[in-house]
Amino acid sequence: MSLSDAFANARERAAIDRLLGFLTVLPPEKRAADSAITGKTLVFTGTLEKMTRAEAKARAEALGAHVAGSVSAKTDLLIAGPGAGSKAKKAAELGIKVIDEDEWLAIAQG
């Protein structure tokens, strides 16, 4: 309700419109229909050093993947950074492919 109230209020709407004058609003990225990870379930673990976890998740989803928070038999790929612990161990036990951040970046850049 707060958001709709802000847009309905003339003063708030004018402030939002002024702010938009300083921003470049980009359209959302289209989801890839045929990437190497389309339809796959990914899990990130450890420290990502070259992108934030939110950026990695957004990129994976833009490529058509699902990002999960834990490793299970449904996990297709684990991206493991430094400090990967129990998730990496469980992935190894389940025979899930594990890659490092550099390999992830190669996939993420298409």
Side-chain angles (χ1 to χ4, degrees):
M1 289 299 294
S2 295
L3 185 57
S4 63
D5 288 346
F7 281 105
N9 180 302
R11 288 180 57 197
E12 292 287 338
R13 182 59 197 224
I16 292 167
D17 289 340
R18 282 192 308 275
L19 176 61
L20 282 172
F22 294 99
L23 302 175
T24 302
V25 179
L26 302 174
E29 287 185 22
K30 292 182 181 178
R31 287 183 171 250
D34 59 352
S35 78
I37 59 171
T38 298
K40 305 227 183 242
T41 299
L42 280 58
V43 175
F44 293 91
T45 189
T47 303
L48 297 180
E49 299 174 322
K50 298 177 181 162
M51 65 175 33
T52 67
R53 193 164 303 247
E55 290 169 331
K57 180 179 180 183
R59 185 64 186 142
E61 289 174 346
L63 291 170
H66 169 72
V67 178
S70 60
V71 174
S72 73
K74 295 180 182 181
T75 304
D76 296 296
L77 182 64
L78 179 77
I79 297 88
S86 61
K87 289 179 186 177
K89 182 179 177 184
K90 185 168 184 179
E93 291 170 359
L94 295 173
I96 295 166
K97 183 176 180 179
V98 178
I99 63 172
D100 64 19
E101 187 176 6
D102 289 333
E103 290 173 284
W104 159 246
L105 290 172
I107 293 169
Q109 298 190 358

